[in-house]
């Protein structure tokens, strides 16, 4: 293999991984460091959300975040900088966050250096993206595995530096010295575009030691056909391993693959049980797939399990699953029939702007209050403010199309549409009065009043009919 002399700065990598003096700068006072809960592993390999969750309930962190005071150590500067960059518990301010991270990086807090490089890379500004290399190189030398993975991406894609497959592989090797790290999973994924076979080998090795991000990345590559359409079904194995290790992403993809007949796990029952557990714990997308698998997909019908998953997803705020729950309450599928709960859900969905839900809400409301069938009450989204729906329904009653003919009800609905600002409703009723059509008695004066209203709304047709009516009356 070609000499890797360019890697000489990273020879101290393993030593740096255990050098707490580099990774955890000492506090500058006797007061406890509010970032003390963040471990060396967190700094080196975990996403920012994990780091910030470690300090989220520490009062001094919240106070420092709000006041900008009592920020002493480099570690504290790093968590405050990350919070500002990502808008964690505070309004996002990337510039202020980067400035704080710069201070921490200057004090040898290597995760701060890595974070600066990552933000610069994501901004993708051609004028500054090359700056990421210095930060990532420094952080990688200092033991931050995610920074080494960042260098893999840079060299694999020529992002901020010249493209070099050799260097990309070298930094992936460094990232994967410990196959269990998130950095290894990331680095191996970055290799897929340039060295797919080596990337697959690393992802498999990492997945085999329960590196769940690696299992997820390998599953995704296989599922997307990176290694050929004939190997898509192989995605089931890494996804199953990830799912059974409580990865919501893996379970979601795997259940979806079961629905589409692309993936077949070895132990489908365990996969579904784990998916249901994760759904109850807040994995909304997993709830959606489980509910669909047991319900709407029809492949493995189990109405009660479908309802439970959809109900969990609805409680997490998903409108699609709330609609499914409303349907199940309405029809008594997977749960006892409960029109009150169904109507309440449809009304909530209606407030979100879905007119079809408004129609369902209105019909159920009248069902509950009048005990009549929707066809008899004639309720639609007209009751919830849609003027054109009032006009459509009026014609159904006027002509006897779809509903029993009812001239009085038709007149009432035309007037409702007119009152709601629908000029055509005014014109339609005016015409019925003008020509004594569909059981409406002739009333020229009433017709002219309705034409006036339509004309005032800006309808040229209404104005023309008014002129014609006035001319005929002379």
């Amino acid at each position: 293999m070609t000499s890797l002399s360019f890697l000489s700065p990273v020879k101290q990598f393993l030593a740096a991984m255990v050098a707490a003096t580099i990774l955890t700068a000492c506090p500058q006072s006797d007061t406890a460091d509010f970032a003390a809960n963040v471990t060396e592993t967190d700094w080196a390999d975990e996403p920012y959300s994990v780091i910030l969750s470690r300090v989220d309930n520490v009062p001094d962190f919240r106070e420092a975040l709000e006041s900008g005071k009592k920020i002493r150590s480099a570690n504290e500067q790093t968590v405050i900088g990350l919070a500002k960059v990502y808008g964690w518990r505070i309004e996002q301010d990337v510039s202020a966050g980067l400035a704080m991270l710069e201070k921490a990086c200057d004090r040898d807090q290597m995760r701060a250096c890595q974070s600066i490089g990552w933000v610069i890379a994501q901004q993708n500004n051609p004028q500054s993206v090359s700056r990421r290399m210095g930060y990532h190189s420094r952080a990688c030398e200092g033991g931050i595995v995610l920074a080494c993975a960042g260098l893999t991406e840079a060299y694999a894609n020529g992002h901020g530096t010249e493209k070099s497959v050799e260097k990309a592989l070298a930094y992936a090797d460094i990232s994967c010295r410990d196959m269990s790290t998130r950095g290894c999973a990331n680095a191996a994924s970055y290799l897929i575009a340039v060295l797919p076979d080596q990337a697959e080998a690393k992802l498999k090795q990492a997945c085999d030691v329960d590196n769940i991000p690696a299992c997820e990345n390998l599953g995704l590559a296989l599922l997307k056909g990176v290694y050929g359409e004939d190997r898509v079904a192989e995605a089931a194995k890494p996804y199953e391993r990830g799912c059974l290790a409580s990865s919501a992403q893996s379970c979601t993809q795997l259940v979806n693959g079961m629905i589409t007949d692309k993936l077949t796990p070895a132990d489908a029952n365990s996969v579904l049980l784990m998916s249901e557990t994760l759904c109850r714990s807040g994995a909304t997308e997993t709830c959606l797939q489980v509910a669909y698998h047991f319900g709407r997909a029809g492949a493995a019908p189990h109405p009660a399990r479908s309802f439970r998953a959809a109900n969990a997803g609805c409680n997490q705020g998903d409108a699609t699953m709330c609609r499914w729950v409303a349907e199940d309450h309405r029809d008594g599928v997977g749960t006892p029939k409960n029109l009150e709960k169904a109507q309440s859900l449809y009304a909530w969905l209606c407030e979100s702007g879905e007119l079809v839900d408004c129609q369902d809400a209105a019909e159920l409301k009248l069902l509950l209050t009048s005990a009549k069938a929707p066809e008899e009450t004639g309720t639609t989204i007209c009751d919830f403010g849609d003027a054109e729906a009032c006009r459509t329904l009026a014609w159904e009653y006027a002509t006897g199309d779809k509903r029993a003919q009812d001239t009085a009800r038709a007149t009432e609905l035309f007037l409702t549409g007119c009152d709601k600002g629908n000029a055509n409703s005014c014109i339609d009723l005016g015409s019925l009065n003008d020509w004594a059509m569909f059981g409406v008695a002739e009333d020229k004066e009433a017709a002219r009043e309705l034409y006036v209203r339509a004309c005032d709304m800006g309808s040229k047709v209404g104005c023309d009919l008014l002129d014609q009516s006035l001319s005929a009356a002379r």
Side-chain angles (χ1 to χ4, degrees):
M1 182 175 179
T2 304
S3 173
L4 301 183
S5 59
F6 63 92
L7 290 179
S8 57
V10 298
K11 287 181 179 179
Q12 302 303 316
F13 177 85
L14 292 177
M17 286 291 290
V18 295
T21 55
I22 294 179
L23 291 176
T24 52
C26 297
Q28 303 302 305
S29 72
D30 294 332
T31 306
D33 188 323
F34 63 68
N37 291 340
V38 184
T39 69
E40 291 180 28
T41 299
D42 294 336
W43 289 124
D45 194 50
E46 292 295 345
Y48 78 89
S49 56
V50 170
I51 292 173
L52 292 176
S53 69
R54 303 286 192 220
V55 300
D56 201 34
N57 293 320
V58 179
D60 284 353
F61 166 70
R62 292 295 187 94
E63 182 182 347
L65 199 57
E66 293 171 3
S67 68
K69 299 177 181 178
K70 297 183 179 180
I71 304 172
R72 301 166 294 268
S73 73
N75 288 349
E76 291 179 335
Q77 289 173 330
T78 301
V79 294
I80 295 297
L82 289 172
K84 291 184 176 182
V85 164
Y86 293 104
W88 182 283
R89 310 295 185 195
I90 194 172
E91 184 177 355
Q92 186 177 35
D93 188 337
V94 176
S95 296
L98 285 174
M100 185 67 73
L101 290 171
E102 288 275 10
K103 293 179 181 179
C105 181
D106 288 344
R107 297 170 68 183
D108 293 330
Q109 213 297 352
M110 295 304 164
R111 181 53 184 265
C113 302
Q114 180 273 337
S115 298
I116 297 168
W118 176 253
V119 172
I120 292 172
Q122 295 307 299
Q123 290 175 336
N124 207 25
N125 184 337
Q127 306 302 318
S128 61
V129 71
S130 61
R131 292 177 54 226
R132 69 175 288 196
M133 299 302 292
Y135 289 107
H136 275 163
S137 295
R138 182 179 176 189
C140 178
E141 292 167 20
I144 306 300
V145 189
L146 290 175
C148 302
L151 291 170
T152 304
E153 186 276 330
Y155 283 115
N157 297 313
H159 190 199
T161 186
E162 80 285 355
K163 186 172 182 177
S164 171
V165 174
E166 181 187 62
K167 291 183 180 181
L169 179 59
Y171 278 107
D173 288 340
I174 292 173
S175 302
C176 290
R177 283 175 176 169
D178 180 349
M179 282 286 177
S180 68
T181 64
R182 183 178 298 272
C184 176
N186 291 354
S189 295
Y190 295 142
L191 279 183
I192 289 175
V194 291
L195 294 170
D197 292 341
Q198 290 90 328
E200 182 183 8
K202 289 183 183 298
L203 288 171
K204 280 184 175 179
Q205 284 181 274
C207 182
D208 287 344
V209 296
D210 289 328
N211 182 331
I212 302 309
C215 296
E216 293 170 346
N217 293 346
L218 177 58
L220 183 61
L222 288 164
L223 187 63
K224 291 173 68 175
V226 171
Y227 295 102
E229 293 299 322
D230 59 328
R231 295 189 60 195
V232 167
E234 294 179 32
K237 184 176 180 180
Y239 273 144
E240 184 168 2
R241 185 160 196 149
C243 177
L244 297 182
S246 300
S247 162
Q249 179 181 326
S250 293
C251 287
T252 299
Q253 293 282 24
L254 189 50
V255 177
N256 179 264
M258 293 165 66
I259 292 169
T260 58
D261 291 326
K262 290 183 177 180
L263 304 179
T264 304
D267 188 350
N269 186 54
S270 294
V271 165
L272 290 167
L273 288 172
M274 175 59 75
S275 298
E276 289 172 302
T277 299
L278 293 169
C279 165
R280 291 191 295 272
S281 301
T284 307
E285 281 299 314
T286 308
C287 294
L288 184 70
Q289 297 302 327
V290 171
Y292 195 74
H293 174 77
F294 284 124
R296 276 73 188 167
H302 196 306
R305 292 174 80 174
S306 177
F307 174 80
R308 287 195 296 269
N311 194 50
C314 178
N315 290 336
Q316 293 160 27
D318 185 273
T320 295
M321 283 184 278
C322 285
R323 189 170 296 110
W324 292 351
V325 170
E327 291 170 0
D328 289 346
H329 278 307
R330 180 193 65 198
D331 302 331
V333 176
T335 187
K337 189 171 185 175
N338 191 321
L339 295 182
E340 287 83 359
K341 288 184 178 180
Q343 196 278 331
S344 177
L345 278 169
Y346 279 130
W348 176 76
L349 289 163
C350 173
E351 291 175 2
S352 301
E354 293 292 337
L355 292 180
V356 65
D357 297 313
C358 297
Q359 179 174 352
D360 290 326
E363 292 182 349
L364 283 175
K365 184 174 183 180
L366 286 184
L367 260 179
L368 291 167
T369 56
S370 68
K372 294 181 180 179
E375 295 79 9
E376 296 171 343
T377 62
T379 57
T380 67
I381 46 180
C382 169
D383 299 292
F384 278 73
D386 190 309
E388 187 60 34
C390 299
R391 181 189 179 214
T392 299
L393 186 59
W395 275 115
E396 291 177 4
Y397 278 112
T399 62
D401 180 30
K402 297 182 181 179
R403 301 174 187 272
Q405 187 174 22
D406 187 334
T407 301
R409 179 66 171 146
T411 300
E412 176 189 350
L413 287 163
F414 277 129
L415 277 174
T416 299
C418 185
D419 290 342
K420 293 178 183 294
N422 185 282
N424 287 330
S425 293
C426 306
I427 292 168
D428 291 345
L429 184 56
S431 299
L432 297 186
N433 280 288
D434 208 352
W435 303 102
M437 299 170 65
F438 298 110
V440 178
E442 182 178 302
D443 188 336
K444 300 291 187 181
E445 186 60 34
R448 282 191 285 273
E449 290 178 2
L450 288 161
Y451 295 152
V452 167
R453 293 181 66 179
C455 184
D456 288 344
M457 292 177 194
S459 169
K460 184 179 184 302
V461 173
C463 297
D464 291 344
L465 288 170
L466 175 61
D467 289 342
Q468 293 172 20
S469 180
L470 291 172
S471 297
R474 293 191 184 102

